[in-house]
Amino acid sequence: GQNIDQPTEMTATEGAIVQINCTYQTSGFNGLFWYQQHAGEAPTFLSYNVLDGLEEKGRFSSFLSRSKGYSYLLLKELQMKDSASYLCAVRRTPRPHYGQNFVFGPGTRLSVLP
Amino acid sequence: DTAVSQTPKYLVTQMGNDKSIKCEQNLGHDTMYWYKQDSKKFLKIMFSYNNKELIINETVPNRFSPKSPDKAHLNLHINSLELGDSAVYFCASSLFKLRGNTEAFFGQGTRLTVV
């Protein structure tokens, strides 16, 4: 089966750095995605990793270790508007050339305090 | 301009009724999905369609029937609605590629309340 785990909630202060971890066990792994979801809104794409290592994108970075089934999202210089849920998602390609889907973790609700 | 649009945004209905949610994407994607997000905010895959063909059906009751008339549309019909069906339903689309970024784009969601 598929299993993706994230902390349920985190709190941080404006201007700080926060790291949100994600561990996964899944078949057909073909990439790790991070999404942001504000309350009452749709998820929006933040970052993508398919190879091991760090991908940096402005204030957001994401890391992947495929051998450990582990990823993290790093948010720097936190702003109040970063208060949202952060969803880790595994792209699965169960059978090559036969389509894909995204399996989401439970999400981490981040609260940024002044 | 809307990339993935789904209607209606809100749906309140009684138990036992049948309802449909429509979804359309104008991104030229070949894969579309339905997700259910429950009160605990867990986003769970229901169906995945690639080029109008059902790829994934994740243990969803057969009261839920998706229909894809073409690559740009994926509708969801629900029969005999139950209280437990209350949730936010998200439609999404993406390209299918074995390599590279194929981020999924989500519709605004349909908040279904069964009373």
Side-chain angles (χ1 to χ4, degrees), chain A residues 4 6 15-16 25 35 42 69 79 86-87 91 93 97 110 112:
Chain A
I4 303 176
Q6 304 177 232
Q25 285 179 302
Y35 285 80
Q79 302 174 9
Y86 291 85
L87 310 174
R91 180 177 64 187
T93 308
H97 311 291
L110 174 67
V112 180

Side-chain angles (χ1 to χ4, degrees), chain A residues 30 33 35 37 40-43 45 48 87 91-106, chain B residues 31 33 35 37 41-43 45 48 53 55-56 58 90 94-104 106-107:
Chain A
N30 190 17
F33 290 70
Y35 285 80
Q37 186 178 24
E41 297 182 9
F45 169 77
Y48 157 70
L87 310 174
R91 180 177 64 187
R92 293 185 64 240
T93 308
R95 284 177 280 170
H97 311 291
Y98 195 59
Q100 65 190 25
N101 73 337
F102 294 88
V103 179
F104 283 82
Chain B
T31 304
Y33 315 85
Y35 283 87
Q37 190 167 45
K41 306 302 180 189
F42 185 41
L43 199 61
I45 181 76
S48 171
E53 182 184 349
I55 301 299
I56 289 165
E58 291 282 339
F90 284 101
S94 74
L95 284 173
F96 170 56
K97 290 191 293 186
L98 287 179
R99 296 286 179 263
N101 181 3
T102 60
E103 63 180 276
F106 284 79

Side-chain angles (χ1 to χ4, degrees), chain A residues 50-69:
Chain A
V50 69
L51 299 176
D52 291 352
L54 190 68
E55 293 285 340
E56 297 188 77
K57 209 173 170 184
R59 294 191 299 116
F60 296 83
S61 304
S62 56
F63 172 84
L64 176 66
S65 168
R66 287 170 297 169
S67 61
K68 294 181 180 175

Side-chain angles (χ1 to χ4, degrees), chain B residues 1-114:
Chain B
D1 268 338
T2 307
V4 182
S5 61
Q6 54 182 110
T7 55
K9 189 171 181 182
Y10 299 98
L11 188 51
V12 180
T13 188
Q14 290 187 325
M15 278 175 55
N17 283 352
D18 303 338
K19 289 293 177 186
S20 291
I21 308 172
K22 295 187 175 181
C23 179
E24 174 182 5
Q25 54 96 3
N26 62 4
L27 297 165
H29 288 162
D30 52 10
T31 304
M32 295 186 73
Y33 315 85
W34 277 109
Y35 283 87
K36 178 181 179 181
Q37 190 167 45
D38 59 26
S39 56
K40 294 183 180 177
K41 306 302 180 189
F42 185 41
L43 199 61
K44 187 173 179 183
I45 181 76
M46 300 174 70
F47 303 103
S48 171
Y49 267 74
N50 180 255
N51 282 315
K52 303 192 302 174
E53 182 184 349
L54 178 64
I55 301 299
I56 289 165
N57 176 348
E58 291 282 339
T59 60
V60 177
N62 57 16
R63 297 183 295 103
F64 291 79
S65 51
K67 289 272 187 336
S68 182
D70 55 58
K71 284 198 305 184
H73 295 84
L74 180 62
N75 304 322
L76 184 66
H77 188 76
I78 316 169
N79 288 327
S80 304
L81 278 155
E82 301 176 356
L83 292 177
D85 298 332
S86 296
V88 180
Y89 291 84
F90 284 101
C91 174
S93 73
S94 74
L95 284 173
F96 170 56
K97 290 191 293 186
L98 287 179
R99 296 286 179 263
N101 181 3
T102 60
E103 63 180 276
F105 289 79
F106 284 79
Q108 62 185 2
T110 297
R111 182 173 295 277
L112 171 66
T113 304
V114 182

Side-chain angles (χ1 to χ4, degrees), chain A residues 5 12 14 20 22 31 41 43 45 48 65 70-71 78 91 96 98 103 105 109:
Chain A
D5 203 21
E14 202 174 7
I20 303 175
C22 170
E41 297 182 9
F45 169 77
Y48 157 70
S65 168
Y70 169 68
S71 173
L78 280 172
R91 180 177 64 187
Y98 195 59
V103 179
R109 191 164 65 224

